[in-house]
Amino acid sequence: MSVKPDDKQSPLTPTASRNMQPQDVPAKDYVQWFRHASPYINAHRGKTFVLMLPGAAILSSNFHNIVHDIALLNSLGVRLVLVHGARPQIDARLAEQGLTSKFHQQLRITDHQHVGAVSQAIGAVRFAIEAALSSSLPNSPMHGADLRVASGNYVTGKPIGVIDGLDFQHTGKVRRVNAEAIHQALDSQTIVSLSPLGYSPTGEIFNLCYAELATQVAIALKADKLIAFSSEDGFCDSDGQLQRQMSLNECKQQLQKLNLNNERSQSLQACFDVCQQVVPRAQIVSYQQDGALVKELFTRDGS
């Protein structure tokens, strides 16, 4: 499902089936499908996409297929920034240490006792993503990919502070995104991987909401797309039919019906927020559906 500021249709209208898979179709049909994808390949080359990947997606059995598709986009010249979450991994790390987080307004309160475990969990997710992007096994889609991944202190954080009498301590929000440094990395065909941690000028560590981080990064970079991975394909209308596209007004109406305390609604909120700013289009794809990212970007109907 895509969200965009207006109702103008894409000029690219290939007729290939979105369900077509090379192993399922005759060679002639596959060639036709590939040719029909060429306008999208040309349209996306050199564009900047921010990928918003929740922590649950890294635990999914489909995660390595997502990594393969990210490698494919990189090989086609798409400039990629990957922003990941880590909520289930943080919950598990805290549970191992006999700790439990408190939440307020859908945000984790990260106190001094928890910040070490939170940082460890986020670091482990970051390393898992970098390891997956670095694999190059023969007879796999990653063979010969030779991806370069950059991560670091691209984001300055600041404390959220006190809300409703509660001190959020080491839970923070984005103060500044070093867009120039990220663009320099992207110019060299490097994938930029951003973890939900922000650092203050005094060296403090802040736990950030990955959805807010992805939103602010997409706006700062003036990205061409925000692509949010979710547990489902998107949102349905009153008849139960998947909404292939929403205007900003339709998106706002959908948000008013939702409880924002889950990754699916956070994805829609992020799409809405970036399209209100400088990002022309945002999309939601399922992290559980194999090939959803490729179908969304390289076929007319999408995923």
Side-chain angles (χ1 to χ4, degrees), residues 40-281:
Y40 293 96
I41 295 172
N42 294 327
H44 297 329
R45 184 180 295 112
K47 297 297 173 51
T48 300
F49 294 176
V50 174
L51 307 180
M52 176 175 149
L53 197 67
I58 289 92
L59 300 175
S60 168
S61 60
N62 192 48
F63 172 61
H64 284 283
N65 291 326
I66 294 173
V67 170
H68 297 162
D69 292 343
I70 290 172
L72 173 61
L73 292 183
N74 179 260
S75 70
L76 293 174
V78 181
R79 296 152 53 92
L80 297 172
V81 179
L82 176 61
V83 179
H84 73 83
R87 176 168 286 195
Q89 292 87 349
I90 292 172
D91 289 340
R93 184 61 63 96
L94 289 173
E96 289 174 2
Q97 300 183 15
L99 302 172
T100 304
S101 288
K102 294 180 181 179
F103 289 83
H104 183 66
Q105 295 185 358
Q106 292 82 54
L107 291 173
R108 186 189 305 273
I109 298 175
T110 311
D111 61 26
H112 298 290
Q113 186 182 11
H114 294 178
V115 68
V118 169
S119 300
Q120 291 167 14
I122 292 173
V125 174
R126 169 190 160 186
F127 298 148
I129 291 172
E130 292 180 359
L133 289 170
S134 300
S135 65
S136 185
L137 293 174
N139 301 318
S140 81
M142 296 291 288
H143 183 53
D146 191 25
L147 301 182
R148 293 189 298 275
V149 183
S151 56
N153 59 341
Y154 292 108
V155 178
T156 303
K158 62 181 179 180
I160 288 180
V162 178
I163 300 177
D164 297 332
L166 294 173
D167 186 354
F168 279 74
Q169 299 184 51
H170 285 275
T171 297
K173 55 185 177 180
V174 176
R175 180 191 295 271
R176 189 177 72 90
V177 176
N178 191 338
E180 181 180 357
I182 294 175
H183 277 302
Q184 288 175 354
L186 296 175
D187 288 343
S188 64
Q189 293 185 305
T190 297
I191 296 173
V192 175
S193 175
L194 299 179
S195 300
L197 290 175
Y199 308 96
S200 76
T202 58
E204 289 182 283
I205 299 174
F206 294 107
N207 178 23
L208 307 177
C209 170
Y210 89 105
E212 190 233 347
L213 175 59
T215 299
Q216 294 303 319
V217 167
I219 293 170
L221 295 177
K222 298 181 180 179
D224 297 283
K225 287 183 186 290
L226 170 72
I227 301 175
F229 286 86
S230 180
S231 56
E232 300 179 38
D233 295 333
F235 292 83
C236 296
D237 58 23
S238 57
D239 297 323
Q241 298 298 312
L242 183 67
Q243 292 185 260
R244 295 290 182 180
Q245 189 164 275
M246 287 189 200
S247 66
L248 276 176
N249 187 52
E250 291 169 331
C251 186
K252 184 176 182 179
Q253 293 173 2
Q254 185 71 258
L255 283 168
Q256 291 171 346
K257 306 173 186 176
L258 296 174
N259 173 8
L260 293 179
N261 193 23
N262 60 62
E263 126 263 321
R264 181 168 172 261
S265 52
Q266 284 181 329
S267 296
L268 187 61
Q269 184 70 59
C271 290
F272 178 75
D273 290 343
V274 298
C275 284
Q276 282 194 305
Q277 299 293 323
V278 296
V279 179
R281 185 182 291 264

